[in-house]
Amino acid sequence: MHYTIPNTQQEVLFITSYPPRKCGIATYSKDLIHAIHRKFKAPFSIRVCALEEGSQTRTYPQEVKYSLQTSDPLAYIELARKINEDEAVKKVFVQHEFGLFGGDYGEYLLRLLYSLEKPVSVTFHTVLPSPDSKRQTVVQSIAKACDNIVVMTKSSSALLQEEYNLSPKKISVIPHGTHMVLWKNKQQLKRAYQLEDRLILSTFGLLSPNKSIETALEALPLLMDRFPNILYFVLGRTHPGVIQNEGEVYRKFLEDRVKELGLSDHVHFVNRYLELEELLEYLRLTDIYLFTSKDPHQAVSGTFAYAMSSACPIISTPIPHAVEMLHNNTGVIVDFRKPEQLAEAAKRLLTKRELREQMGRNAFHQTRATVWENTAISHAHLFNSYLSVRDTDKTGNTTTLNYSLPEIHLEHIYALTNNVGIIQFSHISNPDLGSGYTLDDNARALIALCMHYRQTRDPGALGLISTYLNFIDYCQQPNGRFLNYVDQNREFHVQNNYINLEDSNGRAIWALGVVLFHEELLPLSLIKKAGTIFNCSLSEIEQIESPRAIAFAIKGLYFYHRYSRNKLIQDKIEELANKLLEKYNAVSATNWQWFEEYLTYANSTLPEAMLYAYLATRKPSYKMIAHITFEFLLSHLFKDGTIKVVSNRGWHRKGSVPYQYGEQPIDVSYTIQALDLFYRVFKDKAYRDKMRVAFSWFLGNNHLGQIIYNPLTGGCYDGLEEHSVNLNQGAESTLCYLIARLIVERIQQLPVERDKQVANGEEIGKKPVRIKQLASLPQHALKQPDKIRILR
């Protein structure tokens, strides 16, 4: 993979082994650096000082700026001089393993660290217990020279504190990164490899005696009577260091052992360096992953982490990484060099397919927080305080983390959609047909795909638009109203009889209005159908009482009005807006400028609808109430440089402490949609800045520091909980993410408008009031909005 280094004068320099060198830390560093460059734009870039040993020379990619001959003690001093004179380098990050650096216990590294005049962090890839005095002194000296220490497991952090006497304040635990892997059906993959009748065991990594593959080989004969269809893959070439020292002696030993045990039809060596895509395919079709390392001090294993992230149930020896990770029913621990124990554990798992699948699912869930995108976020937060260029936006936030926008993908939307409509839920990324369909989701889908087609002219979107419009047509009843719930057999569900369907009806009207607004782009047949459905629903609109249903309907009527310029439609908009105005007048107070006595879901839609009503009618009272209520809402949503929407654990009631966590993508998306309209109307950069902050919630700017979308498919996770992300990727979340993503795509292409002092851009009354003064106004003044002119 190649990428362009950002044009910036602020660099973080990684000192590490690096590809094309073949070793675990080189691969780790490449994956981490590439992930950071994918996740973030300027003001920083990552450069590399590649560690060299011996006389071998390598051709490195463009990110490699320096190299260090690790066996030369004077080279460390010379490198420090170059780094000190390099004004672009603001931070140095050392990837440490004792064997990477010269001297006893790699002590040559200290020459570099104590000669540097730049801040330094170190990642300890191995932390050994029971150190002798020399090793302890070297580690303590490295730590003293560094501002931050990173380890990958809690056990390594505990060792540093308990046996090396290091302060916990310096130590951060950032788990080994893993690749984003799609949740796929194992049997489908096996069929693709013509392995559908085999039970697959596997191990991968650079082959060395420490892997103790012979332990697994000696366990296989104990399984053959009961499971004669076992096939064990040993994936990966021999470690270059092993080849240099002893050639292929260990591999030849394993091959001879396979013949001695009569396993030639059951063991397959793949003696080459596997590219990532092929490796992940092997792991995804694996029934049990075997990790047989005989090194009790191996702190971390990237191969182990990759197997877990590929949903492999694991049988492992008790290295610290495995002991820490294999809980919550994700695998089995066996003793070192005990083939009998390994065989018994394998029998249990091979006998119980449901147990294997559940372990794999648990492993998959447990490692989602460690995907490289999330690891990149953790590292960026660790070193961003050392970067000098800082950006203070109109929201009052100061940050150096400028998230890159991910590519727009429709893969998951296509997967969720069949000839009926878009399916409601997913098990992780697999559509759950049993959940059926809803009018809500198909209306959202219609809106999202119209937006997508408007911005991309993607012809594939037209087929999706037609499918979603047909579903809305199917849900409309003879009286013009719509039913919401349809089961997998295309029958209307009994839920339609006892659940309030007003919001669903309002959302359908919104979607139909959006279609009609695109009359110049969409085929005439779609416009005619949407017009027929819309006109049939008009007689029922005035019956709507739910605030959000009213808001959705106003949005649909606004877009229809743009299409038809029909005075009747304008009158209906005014009628509905007055209902919202009445709700505001009945509830609002000095410290509660809102339409209800609580904040629930889709809150931003209410002030947004009032602003749409103003645009259709030019009634200044609508605009002012829109502005007052939206500013009130934003004051509750934006805190400490991020957005925290109302929790689905419980609504935020007037005068109460709001619930925490339980945040959903739908509310972040609705906030972005409203900010988009307010920015276009008021030309106030603060709204644009808040849009950027709100969208960064999806990208990792949230209390967990984790992405809320699937960068491979465009799917979006269903919720942000206190300690985890809900990995199911249903239609609602995915469509709301797509709508938000399309908005920020368009907004970033617009020139930034000059801030306006007068927020509404025109004189609408006699009494100027700044937003911050609204709380001090008497309620009777707020309920005479035509008398107030709002200033920022």
Side-chain angles (χ1 to χ4, degrees):
M1 175 182 174
H2 298 283
Y3 59 86
T4 301
I5 295 174
N7 182 18
T8 172
Q9 291 302 306
Q10 298 210 91
E11 297 173 356
V12 177
L13 181 69
F14 273 53
I15 298 178
T16 179
S17 57
Y18 206 69
R21 183 172 175 177
K22 297 292 192 292
C23 78
I25 291 179
T27 301
Y28 169 90
S29 296
K30 180 202 71 172
D31 288 338
L32 174 58
I33 290 168
H34 285 207
I36 291 171
H37 276 291
R38 286 195 306 271
K39 281 298 299 177
F40 302 103
K41 297 184 287 188
F44 66 86
S45 64
I46 309 296
R47 303 301 295 271
V48 174
C49 171
L51 301 178
E52 293 278 18
E53 80 292 324
S55 59
Q56 183 178 4
T57 58
R58 298 179 173 90
T59 301
Y60 286 105
Q62 62 176 339
E63 60 264 29
V64 175
K65 189 174 188 177
Y66 299 109
S67 64
L68 172 65
Q69 183 55 249
T70 56
S71 61
D72 180 1
L74 296 180
Y76 292 82
I77 306 297
E78 177 60 17
L79 176 62
R81 183 190 63 78
K82 291 179 180 178
I83 294 172
N84 290 337
E85 293 176 356
D86 189 337
E87 294 183 359
V89 174
K90 306 298 182 185
K91 172 79 174 174
V92 177
F93 218 124
V94 178
Q95 301 301 309
H96 180 272
E97 182 70 78
F98 289 103
L100 285 179
F101 300 96
D104 291 342
Y105 298 118
E107 65 182 348
Y108 285 0
L109 175 62
L110 297 175
R111 295 169 175 253
L112 169 66
L113 297 181
Y114 282 90
S115 300
L116 283 173
E117 298 169 1
K118 306 286 178 78
V120 183
S121 293
V122 63
T123 296
F124 284 121
H125 286 256
T126 295
V127 180
L128 295 174
S130 305
D132 59 33
S133 60
K134 180 64 180 288
R135 187 187 301 276
Q136 185 183 58
T137 298
V138 170
V139 169
Q140 288 173 337
S141 298
I142 292 171
K144 186 176 180 180
C146 295
D147 300 287
N148 311 102
I149 299 166
V150 174
V151 292
M152 299 182 197
T153 64
K154 295 176 183 176
S155 58
S156 292
S157 175
L159 279 175
L160 287 178
Q161 295 173 57
E162 295 166 6
E163 301 199 28
Y164 293 84
N165 301 315
L166 300 188
S167 169
K169 294 180 180 179
K170 268 193 175 185
I171 302 171
S172 299
V173 177
I174 303 178
H176 193 296
T178 56
H179 292 282
M180 176 73 72
V181 177
L182 293 180
W183 180 266
K184 287 189 175 180
N185 184 288
K186 203 176 293 290
Q187 287 304 117
Q188 291 177 353
L189 286 171
K190 285 187 176 182
R191 280 194 290 272
Y193 280 81
Q194 298 181 334
L195 296 169
E196 60 265 37
D197 296 327
R198 305 299 294 266
L199 288 169
I200 305 300
L201 313 181
S202 73
T203 298
F204 89 92
L206 295 173
L207 195 62
S208 71
N210 269 348
K211 289 191 178 293
S212 192
I213 301 299
E214 61 272 19
T215 301
L217 297 181
E218 291 164 10
L220 292 182
L222 305 175
L223 299 171
M224 287 305 164
D225 287 345
R226 190 164 182 182
F227 308 103
N229 58 339
I230 281 178
L231 179 59
Y232 178 38
F233 283 108
V234 182
L235 307 167
R237 57 177 287 190
T238 304
H239 195 290
V242 173
I243 291 178
Q244 183 177 352
N245 293 327
E246 59 186 59
E248 290 284 16
V249 172
Y250 182 61
R251 183 178 293 275
K252 181 69 166 56
F253 160 73
L254 294 176
E255 290 172 346
D256 290 345
R257 194 75 181 109
V258 167
K259 293 176 183 176
E260 293 169 7
L261 295 169
L263 298 173
S264 296
D265 293 333
H266 301 280
V267 179
H268 181 55
F269 291 93
V270 181
N271 185 11
R272 55 189 169 82
Y273 189 83
L274 276 69
E275 295 299 327
L276 178 64
E277 185 175 348
E278 183 181 10
L279 170 62
L280 295 180
E281 287 281 272
Y282 272 114
L283 290 176
R284 283 185 288 185
L285 58 81
T286 294
D287 291 293
I288 303 175
Y289 184 81
L290 304 180
F291 187 85
T292 53
S293 170
K294 63 183 181 181
D295 181 3
H297 302 316
Q298 182 176 354
V300 176
S301 167
T303 62
F304 177 92
Y306 287 7
M308 284 194 73
S309 72
S310 299
C312 295
I314 297 177
I315 299 174
S316 174
T317 51
I319 69 166
H321 195 183
V323 171
E324 190 164 306
M325 294 293 288
L326 290 187
H327 53 82
N328 295 330
N329 203 17
T330 55
V332 180
I333 298 287
V334 297
D335 290 332
F336 296 104
R337 302 184 187 184
K338 295 292 184 181
E340 299 85 1
Q341 286 188 22
L342 192 154
E344 285 301 314
K347 282 180 184 178
R348 175 173 171 248
L349 295 185
L350 292 173
T351 303
K352 300 178 179 180
R353 179 173 177 174
E354 289 185 3
L355 177 60
R356 291 200 313 271
E357 291 177 351
Q358 186 59 50
M359 281 187 171
R361 184 181 294 271
N362 291 343
F364 184 87
H365 276 275
Q366 189 168 327
T367 54
R368 287 310 86 188
T370 68
V371 295
W372 281 114
E373 288 79 1
N374 293 337
T375 303
I377 293 168
S378 297
H379 279 85
H381 280 296
L382 192 65
F383 57 65
N384 77 341
S385 61
Y386 297 94
L387 304 179
S388 58
V389 176
R390 303 181 71 77
D391 172 31
T392 301
D393 61 29
K394 287 279 295 212
T395 68
N397 302 313
T398 303
T399 180
T400 57
L401 295 184
N402 190 358
Y403 292 86
S404 298
L405 291 179
E407 292 184 19
I408 295 173
H409 291 291
L410 298 187
E411 182 178 331
H412 190 52
I413 288 175
Y414 276 107
L416 285 169
T417 303
N418 57 25
N419 61 351
V420 175
I422 193 164
I423 296 166
Q424 184 175 194
F425 297 139
S426 281
H427 291 304
I428 306 181
S429 58
N430 290 335
D432 176 14
L433 183 59
S435 67
Y437 316 83
T438 67
L439 175 68
D440 284 326
D441 289 333
N442 282 270
R444 291 186 189 98
L446 189 55
I447 293 165
L449 270 294
C450 283
M451 291 175 63
H452 179 72
Y453 184 71
R454 181 183 183 87
Q455 292 180 216
T456 67
R457 302 298 195 273
D458 174 12
L462 291 176
L464 295 173
I465 289 170
S466 178
T467 296
Y468 305 140
L469 182 60
N470 287 338
F471 185 89
I472 292 176
D473 185 26
Y474 177 74
C475 289
Q476 190 169 42
Q477 303 303 293
N479 63 2
R481 292 200 168 200
F482 302 89
L483 299 181
N484 187 37
Y485 300 100
V486 177
D487 67 20
Q488 61 181 321
N489 299 315
R490 208 165 173 259
E491 300 290 336
F492 287 114
H493 198 280
V494 67
Q495 287 176 282
N496 292 297
N497 297 329
Y498 56 82
I499 291 180
N500 191 317
L501 303 180
E502 280 199 351
D503 287 7
S504 304
N505 277 252
R507 195 173 282 110
I509 293 165
W510 172 18
L512 293 167
V514 169
V515 173
L516 294 170
F517 176 72
H518 290 86
E519 63 165 327
E520 296 181 0
L521 293 178
L522 297 177
L524 182 60
S525 59
L526 296 178
I527 298 300
K528 285 184 175 179
K529 174 171 280 191
T532 300
I533 303 170
F534 193 100
N535 288 328
C536 185
S537 71
L538 282 176
S539 61
E540 296 296 319
I541 286 179
E542 61 190 31
Q543 307 299 323
I544 293 176
E545 293 296 333
S546 161
R548 280 147 196 79
I550 291 171
F552 296 146
I554 287 174
K555 292 174 71 171
L557 289 167
Y558 168 81
F559 288 115
Y560 185 77
H561 184 250
R562 289 282 302 274
Y563 159 73
S564 67
R565 295 298 176 187
N566 187 320
K567 181 63 168 60
L568 173 64
I569 300 301
Q570 183 175 324
D571 291 343
K572 286 189 176 292
I573 292 173
E574 188 170 337
E575 179 182 335
L576 292 176
N578 285 338
K579 286 187 177 183
L580 286 182
L581 200 58
E582 289 173 5
K583 293 178 185 297
Y584 170 82
N585 287 335
V587 170
S588 62
T590 300
N591 60 351
W592 191 261
Q593 303 295 331
W594 197 240
F595 304 90
E596 303 166 295
E597 294 193 352
Y598 39 76
L599 297 173
T600 63
Y601 91 105
N603 298 297
S604 297
T605 304
L606 303 182
E608 182 192 18
M610 291 301 291
L611 193 52
Y612 273 123
Y614 162 76
L615 294 174
T617 65
R618 292 293 160 178
K619 283 203 162 189
S621 57
Y622 298 162
K623 186 175 190 179
M624 198 206 72
I625 295 302
H627 204 171
I628 292 171
T629 55
F630 197 45
E631 291 292 333
F632 167 78
L633 177 63
L634 294 179
S635 72
H636 286 271
L637 298 184
F638 287 86
K639 305 284 186 183
D640 302 321
T642 188
I643 184 173
K644 292 187 75 68
V645 294
V646 175
S647 169
N648 66 354
R649 295 182 177 185
W651 304 138
H652 179 189
R653 295 191 175 275
K654 182 177 178 180
S656 68
V657 177
Y659 287 84
Q660 297 296 307
Y661 314 114
E663 301 169 51
Q664 294 187 300
I666 184 173
D667 284 307
V668 179
S669 180
Y670 278 137
T671 304
I672 291 170
Q673 293 171 54
L675 286 165
D676 175 34
L677 179 65
F678 275 77
Y679 174 65
R680 286 186 283 124
V681 172
F682 291 98
K683 312 300 183 189
D684 188 334
K685 185 174 177 290
Y687 294 130
R688 183 176 176 140
D689 290 337
K690 281 187 167 68
M691 247 188 290
R692 184 184 61 145
V693 172
F695 190 75
S696 71
W697 180 89
F698 291 103
L699 309 182
N701 184 17
N702 51 62
H703 74 270
L704 289 183
Q706 296 183 26
I707 57 173
I708 312 295
Y709 70 99
N710 186 324
L712 299 180
T713 66
C716 182
Y717 302 134
D718 279 352
L720 178 67
E721 304 301 335
E722 183 174 0
H723 301 295
S724 64
V725 174
N726 181 340
L727 297 180
N728 295 325
Q729 298 155 54
E732 175 186 288
S733 299
T734 296
L735 293 165
C736 287
Y737 167 76
L738 176 60
I739 290 171
R741 177 65 184 84
L742 290 167
I743 288 172
V744 297
E745 178 79 11
R746 173 173 50 77
I747 287 294
Q748 76 166 0
Q749 296 171 2
L750 297 176
V752 178
E753 297 284 351
R754 183 174 61 86
D755 294 350
K756 297 291 183 93
Q757 183 182 20
V758 180
N760 35 348
E762 60 183 348
E763 299 291 326
I764 63 169
K766 298 180 180 180
K767 184 177 180 180
V769 176
R770 295 191 179 277
I771 288 293
K772 291 181 179 179
Q773 299 172 342
L774 286 172
S776 63
L777 284 178
Q779 282 302 294
H780 68 82
L782 290 175
K783 294 175 181 179
Q784 299 179 56
D786 290 340
K787 303 298 183 183
I788 301 174
R789 176 165 57 87
I790 305 173
L791 300 178
R792 298 291 296 180

